[in-house]
Amino acid sequence: MLRALAPLLVLAATLVAAADDGLSRVRSTKVMRWGCDVSGGAPFAFPDPSDPDRVIGFEVEIAEELARRLGGRAERFSADWLALIDALEADRCDVLINGFEVTAERKRVVSFSTPYFRYAQQLVVRSEDRDRFTSLADLTGRPIAVLNGSASIESLDAAGVPPSLIVQYDDSLAPFTETILGRVDACLQESFISRFFAGHDPRLALVDATFDPGVYAVVVRKGDAALLNELNAALAGMQADGTLGRILQRWGLWDDAQPALGTQRGPVVATIPEAQGTPPEDGLPWTLVLWSLARAATMTALLTVVSMPIATLAGLLLAIAILHGPKPLSRICHAYVLVTRGTPLLVQIFLLYYSLPALGAWLGIPELLTWNKVVVGIVCLAANYAAYEAEIHRAALQAIPRSQWDAARALGFTRWQTLRFIVVPQSWRLSLPAIINDLNSLIKDSSLVSMIGVQELLAVALGIGKASFAVPSMLVAAAAFYLVLSLLADWFGQSLERRARAVRALPEPIHR
Amino acid sequence: MTTPALEAQGISKRWPRTGAVLEDCSLRVERRTVHALIGSSGSGKSTLLRCLALLDPPDSGSIRVDGVLAAGEGAVAADPNLRRSIGVVFQEPSLFTHLTALANVALAPHRVLGLDPGDAHERARRALDRVHALHLGDRHPEALSGGERQRVAMARALAMEPTVLLCDEPTSALDPMLTREVMAVLRDLALDAGTTMVVVSHDMEFVTAAADSFDFLHAGRIRISGSVDRLGTRGVDDELDRFLQRS
């Protein structure tokens, strides 16, 4: 699905006018906004399994140290990994630090700092296949799992593996799971990720020979030269005084390849337990985890509770405009419904979040059009569902018999009075069950706004699951929360229906 | 001569697909009289009534309510002030299903005439009382019989205190038992000295007992009109005789 978005995202990127100089912004606000995807998994930046609200990882520590050296503090910006470059272009953050391999393709769009980490590609196979597959050549004609958008794809491509055999997944854990389950015969990832996830799992074996080395570097907007220079200076300092070496050691990432980048090891430090890459021994800290999920569920509830009433009301106005408005307005509203229903919600979220600021910059009003991600989420959900609700209202309005209009007209009601006091109160009763149905589906669709980094229920559950090797149980837990929200919605819907059925005995009193 | 409550001159109406339904119909309804529109099915009675009610504009001709031009050349299109001075009771009661009987009757006085809720309710109670339906006030339309619904619909029209009340065969959708109940109410209203009414009806017993004047429609034209006394004598018009014989 994301591949289909590529042309739009390119459009978004080209719309971007030159953003503010990143360095002066960091200097004036004393904040370095760094982008990453917290659901990408360990050891980059991920929820601490023993305290899921905290995000930890070696890149968190690098970001904090860099920010300190630039004279400010680090502020994390989260979004889906594939959307991070667009977020940078849209000035949602100043830098990206999230395992961005330096590739020629990316260099055309963004600038890279000097590298902070060196890796190589490493294959992982099922342990029983240990002797059968000892190199990429042994896997000819077999499917290989990789992380979506990673350098492993280019490595396989360069080695002549046809695209049909390169199976891409959205997170780093899935390729290993797929290998264990036998859906693929091997997976290829950066060596330390392979070590982290597969090194302790008896069902998996690492293929010794690594190949295609590469480096990670900090990403900045193209042309943001001042910020790039400062970052390079800060990185050089961290490499020379052993700060970077210490971070890499703490996270079990230190190896013989690192000094080649000029990184000093510094004093020997032990690997911290979080970097061991093993599931927590005493299982998940469920009290904390459920607490995190409950809070994420309130975000899901907030998105729903705010956007659905807007969608319902906007849908009613759209339907009235379509049926009773002047012809041009009616056509515009009808076109809105067709376009909104005919395009994916995900695309709408992306466009509003990344292209609207670009449009704002182009128009010279960037502040006006750069909205907070929760606001963007609510606006998108409300605007998208309004189109569906409009059709429900339209059907209900048309179901009110012509004779009701005649009776009202004969009594002297104007058209708008007839709609307000006679037709809509009756059509509302007809449309309510379908609207409650949509309310239920909105609860679940709201998880799409996690693409722009809103920490709602599904995103938080997946983040914790991937960091704790417990994706299935976290998904079940999330499903339970969704079910509770959905039952609440149904209960609310039923009480609304009861109220709508109850006859209004008196016209609303006029307060004097 | 006093100004008639309702006056139509040369009304013609044709539907695009089915052709002419009314041709050159003129009628005059004096104040405080009951006027009957009679004729067989398809003769154009209901279409004429909808034109008189200002619900469908005539293709030509004019309509005056209390002497004021309401439809025709030079009329203000669909003036709500004029429309509310014409009460209509349809074949189907068409009560507002989300409101009680009392609220059905009180809604227009409150929202259209701008009376405050207390006055609107008072008026609604008086109107319900006139159709012997005061005890039904807090019932929902679903909980009323067909005849009761039609009586509430009459009260809803009466509560606006219209200059003239138009009734389009208010019993056509009812069985004989309920028809009697509604006709009795209609008769009371008609015999009430203050009411000006136009009634479309098949029921000749009702017409002769309650109406003052009549128009006999045949094939979209008014063939015979005059005082109901004329209905007693045969041989004036063949079509009228045939119609009277059938009913």
Side-chain angles (χ1 to χ4, degrees):
Chain A
M1 176 159 51
L2 281 161
R3 282 182 177 258
L5 286 180
L8 287 172
L9 299 180
V10 170
L11 174 77
T14 49
L15 270 172
V16 177
D20 273 354
D21 166 31
L23 183 65
S24 48
R25 176 176 192 138
V26 171
R27 287 265 157 81
S28 63
T29 58
K30 299 214 176 312
V31 171
M32 183 187 84
R33 299 169 305 163
W34 68 286
C36 68
D37 180 0
V38 293
S39 66
F44 299 91
F46 60 102
D48 183 350
S50 62
D51 179 7
D53 288 337
R54 216 161 66 96
V55 172
I56 57 172
F58 81 99
E59 288 180 333
V60 177
E61 292 178 18
I62 291 175
E64 281 166 357
E65 183 62 27
L66 279 175
R68 201 179 61 75
R69 289 180 191 228
L70 258 58
R73 62 181 177 81
E75 186 180 282
R76 181 168 42 78
F77 168 86
S78 303
D80 189 86
W81 197 78
L82 292 173
L84 281 174
I85 288 185
D86 297 286
L88 181 70
E89 298 280 11
D91 197 26
R92 295 271 174 190
C93 51
D94 305 307
V95 300
L96 303 177
I97 308 176
N98 205 201
F100 279 93
E101 302 96 340
V102 179
T103 61
E105 202 176 44
R106 282 198 188 116
K107 269 186 175 163
R108 284 205 295 273
V109 201
V110 291
S111 298
F112 283 100
S113 71
T114 49
Y116 59 82
F117 187 71
R118 191 177 157 95
Y119 63 87
Q121 299 291 334
Q122 187 164 31
L123 280 164
V124 172
V125 296
R126 285 180 293 276
S127 30
E128 63 265 31
D129 292 335
R130 189 190 305 266
D131 303 322
R132 228 169 116 211
F133 305 130
T134 55
S135 71
L136 194 54
D138 295 339
L139 286 153
T140 308
R142 294 175 182 279
I144 298 171
V146 293
L147 172 65
N148 203 343
S150 70
S152 311
I153 300 167
E154 282 164 40
S155 297
L156 290 177
D157 202 34
V161 177
S164 60
L165 291 177
I166 305 174
V167 194
Q168 303 189 34
Y169 293 93
D170 266 341
D171 64 272
S172 14
L173 185 54
F176 300 104
T177 321
E178 291 294 275
T179 309
I180 293 169
L181 294 176
R183 293 210 182 97
V184 293
D185 288 314
C187 62
L188 184 70
Q189 297 217 43
E190 271 103 278
S191 48
F192 69 98
I193 306 179
S194 294
R195 277 207 304 276
F196 187 88
F197 284 102
H200 304 272
D201 194 323
R203 294 167 296 182
L204 292 170
L206 292 137
V207 174
D208 286 335
T210 62
F211 58 99
D212 240 3
V215 290
Y216 292 152
V218 181
V219 184
V220 298
R221 276 184 291 273
K222 223 169 176 52
D224 210 348
L227 179 62
L228 190 62
N229 284 340
E230 282 300 306
L231 283 170
N232 282 341
L235 265 174
M238 285 168 67
Q239 284 176 303
D241 66 13
T243 315
L244 182 59
R246 186 169 180 279
I247 294 173
L248 296 180
Q249 287 183 68
R250 272 167 53 77
W251 286 92
L253 300 171
W254 181 263
D255 57 26
D256 298 340
Q258 302 313 319
L261 296 179
T263 310
Q264 299 300 317
R265 181 172 196 176
V268 176
V269 195
T271 305
I272 58 171
E274 289 87 341
Q276 299 295 337
T278 48
E281 266 172 33
D282 42 356
L284 283 169
W286 278 106
T287 320
L288 281 170
V289 166
L290 290 176
W291 179 233
S292 286
L293 286 184
R295 266 182 309 145
T298 50
M299 175 53 82
T300 295
L302 173 82
L303 291 168
T304 310
V305 164
V306 179
S307 50
M308 194 64 193
I310 300 174
T312 308
L313 186 65
L316 178 62
L317 296 178
L318 280 169
I320 290 173
I322 288 169
L323 291 175
H324 303 285
K327 207 151 221 159
L329 180 68
S330 168
R331 293 237 170 96
I332 290 168
C333 291
H334 192 218
Y336 173 84
V337 169
L338 290 180
V339 171
T340 310
R341 284 193 318 166
T343 51
L345 177 55
L346 190 62
V347 174
Q348 294 160 10
I349 293 172
F350 262 71
L351 282 180
L352 214 61
Y353 195 62
Y354 297 115
S355 305
L356 210 56
L359 182 69
W362 189 66
L363 293 173
I365 43 165
E367 298 84 8
L368 269 179
L369 294 181
T370 306
W371 304 340
N372 164 298
K373 54 191 167 189
V374 177
V375 174
V376 170
I378 287 170
V379 168
C380 283
L381 290 170
N384 181 274
Y385 270 72
Y388 291 93
E389 303 325 296
E391 286 299 278
I392 293 172
H393 285 300
R394 190 167 68 86
L397 287 170
Q398 284 178 319
I400 301 302
R402 199 68 227 160
S403 58
Q404 292 278 316
W405 283 88
D406 280 346
R409 218 142 64 93
L411 287 166
F413 283 96
T414 63
R415 200 180 343 184
W416 299 113
Q417 282 180 319
T418 307
L419 274 170
R420 183 169 162 213
F421 300 118
I422 294 156
V423 173
V424 170
Q426 294 184 72
S427 72
W428 168 244
R429 287 202 270 176
L430 297 177
S431 52
L432 203 48
I435 290 173
I436 296 304
N437 208 20
D438 275 358
L439 171 65
N440 249 302
S441 101
L442 174 61
I443 292 173
K444 281 149 282 177
D445 271 359
S446 68
S447 67
L448 282 175
V449 302
S450 66
M451 286 301 291
I452 54 172
V454 176
Q455 290 296 296
E456 51 65 62
L457 192 44
L458 195 61
V460 168
L462 279 174
I464 298 173
K466 284 173 197 169
S468 325
F469 303 86
V471 170
S473 47
M474 288 310 295
L475 285 179
V476 171
F481 274 92
Y482 275 115
L483 183 62
V484 170
L485 288 177
S486 168
L487 291 175
L488 279 173
D490 279 334
W491 170 79
F492 172 70
Q494 274 164 14
S495 68
L496 266 188
E497 279 185 49
R498 260 198 309 278
R499 273 181 63 169
R501 266 202 305 274
V503 181
R504 289 245 304 284
L506 306 168
E508 280 154 35
I510 295 170
H511 298 288
R512 279 191 278 196
Chain B
M1 206 158 75
T2 55
T3 317
L6 186 66
E7 187 182 22
Q9 283 286 341
I11 301 291
S12 293
K13 179 84 188 167
R14 52 175 63 237
W15 298 119
R17 254 174 288 171
T18 49
V21 268
L22 289 179
E23 275 197 71
D24 196 22
C25 292
S26 299
L27 61 84
R28 191 182 159 95
V29 182
E30 302 297 340
R31 281 167 208 281
R32 290 181 286 280
T33 64
V34 175
H35 186 81
L37 291 179
I38 58 176
S40 42
S41 301
S43 59
K45 297 172 305 216
S46 292
T47 307
L48 180 56
L49 198 91
R50 281 183 68 86
C51 287
L52 295 176
L54 309 179
L55 290 172
D56 291 328
D59 295 337
S60 60
S62 65
I63 295 168
R64 284 171 191 275
V65 183
D66 247 346
V68 180
L69 187 65
E73 213 167 304
V76 180
D79 183 347
N81 282 320
L82 282 169
R83 188 176 280 126
R84 82 178 62 137
S85 61
I86 300 176
V88 188
V89 179
F90 298 91
Q91 296 184 5
E92 299 280 342
S94 303
L95 294 184
F96 307 137
T97 60
H98 63 302
L99 299 171
T100 59
L102 184 68
N104 259 279
V105 182
L107 187 68
H110 175 47
R111 295 294 183 189
V112 176
L113 300 180
L115 301 185
D116 71 51
D119 291 347
H121 280 144
E122 192 40 51
R123 214 188 244 232
R125 277 190 208 96
R126 277 204 308 271
L128 283 171
D129 198 28
R130 278 186 83 184
V131 298
H132 314 304
L134 190 52
H135 61 292
L136 304 174
D138 54 4
R139 293 245 205 111
H140 183 252
E142 278 168 19
L144 297 174
S145 74
E148 288 168 337
R149 276 181 219 168
Q150 199 53 284
R151 278 153 59 199
V152 172
M154 285 179 197
R156 185 172 66 180
L158 287 171
M160 294 298 281
E161 298 178 353
T163 309
V164 52
L165 180 67
L166 309 183
C167 298
D168 185 7
E169 282 185 276
T171 58
S172 66
L174 300 177
D175 65 38
M177 266 287 277
L178 298 174
T179 299
R180 262 204 298 285
E181 163 197 335
V182 172
M183 288 316 283
V185 170
L186 206 58
R187 197 178 176 124
D188 286 353
L189 285 179
L191 294 174
D192 189 335
T195 321
T196 308
M197 259 169 90
V198 176
V199 184
V200 170
S201 183
H202 270 121
D203 185 341
M204 292 315 296
E205 195 190 325
F206 167 80
V207 171
T208 44
D212 302 300
S213 53
F214 77 96
D215 279 307
F216 170 65
L217 273 90
H218 181 75
R221 286 175 179 277
I222 294 180
R223 242 181 125 88
I224 303 285
S225 51
S227 155
V228 283
D229 304 338
R230 293 185 70 180
L231 292 172
T233 43
R234 299 287 164 109
V236 178
D237 181 88
D238 294 347
E239 289 296 342
L240 179 59
D241 286 350
R242 256 196 292 272
F243 170 73
L244 292 173
Q245 210 158 11
R246 274 201 306 273
S247 53

